């Protein structure tokens, strides 16, 4: 600066935070019901470290029955929307998700539902 040959060193440090979601409750058990009767429960989706607005999508499992038929007995609804938004204090607002199950055929299932954002995280 001003023809002065002094050297200046700048050190930067930071922490990389990856967006995450957690669930309350952390796992779901739906009660057995008669055929064609819907059972439903609500879960809270708790987003953390999302720096921009995102939207949650759900990959629902396809079940294969003993005779080879395939069914999709699960459905989800987001009564307040699927958008992850950032509050004025920098936190992310929780989302409510209603998960339901209905089947006209006898079935039991143990598996995963995948909740992903637009970037497939």
């Amino acid at each position: 600066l001003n023809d002065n040959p002094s050297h200046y060193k700048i050190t930067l440090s930071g922490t990389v935070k990856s967006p995450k979601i957690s669930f309350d409750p952390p796992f779901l058990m739906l009660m057995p019901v008669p055929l064609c009767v819907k059972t439903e429960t609500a879960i809270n989706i708790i987003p953390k470290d999302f720096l921009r607005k995102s939207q949650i999508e759900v990959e629902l499992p396809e079940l294969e029955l003993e005779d080879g038929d395939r069914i999709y007995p699960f459905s989800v609804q987001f009564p307040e929307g699927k958008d992850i938004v950032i509050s004025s204090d920098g936190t992310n607002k929780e989302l409510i998700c209603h998960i339901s199950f209905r089947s006209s055929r006898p079935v039991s299932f143990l598996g995963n539902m995948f909740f992903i954002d637009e970037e497939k995280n």
Side-chain angles (χ1 to χ4, degrees):
L1 300 173
N2 297 331
D3 296 324
N4 186 347
S6 298
H7 296 283
Y8 295 92
K9 181 179 178 181
I10 297 176
T11 303
L12 301 175
S13 65
T15 304
V16 176
K17 292 184 177 184
S18 297
K20 297 177 181 83
I21 57 175
S22 57
F23 301 91
D24 182 28
F27 66 93
L28 177 65
M29 182 182 292
L30 296 171
M31 298 305 296
V33 291
L35 296 178
C36 299
V37 173
K38 181 168 80 169
T39 182
E40 182 177 38
T41 193
I43 62 169
N44 289 322
I45 298 173
I46 306 159
K48 185 173 180 174
D49 297 329
F50 280 80
L51 301 177
R52 65 179 184 280
K53 183 177 174 181
S54 296
Q55 192 172 78
I56 294 289
E57 294 296 329
V58 184
E59 292 179 358
L60 297 173
E62 173 187 62
L63 305 184
E64 184 173 353
L65 303 175
E66 290 179 4
D67 63 3
D69 285 350
R70 296 180 176 277
I71 61 171
Y72 290 90
F74 294 96
S75 63
V76 297
Q77 292 182 336
F78 292 85
E80 298 174 6
K82 308 191 266 188
D83 292 334
I84 296 174
V85 295
I86 301 170
S87 301
S88 59
D89 64 358
T91 61
N92 301 123
K93 182 181 175 192
E94 292 184 11
L95 301 172
I96 297 172
C97 178
H98 289 205
I99 300 174
S100 62
F101 173 91
R102 180 186 312 206
S103 177
S104 61
R105 307 270 299 274
V107 65
S108 64
F109 170 76
L110 174 64
N112 297 311
M113 289 182 183
F114 293 99
F115 291 77
I116 57 175
D117 65 13
E118 293 136 345
E119 296 178 8
K120 304 297 181 198
N121 294 313

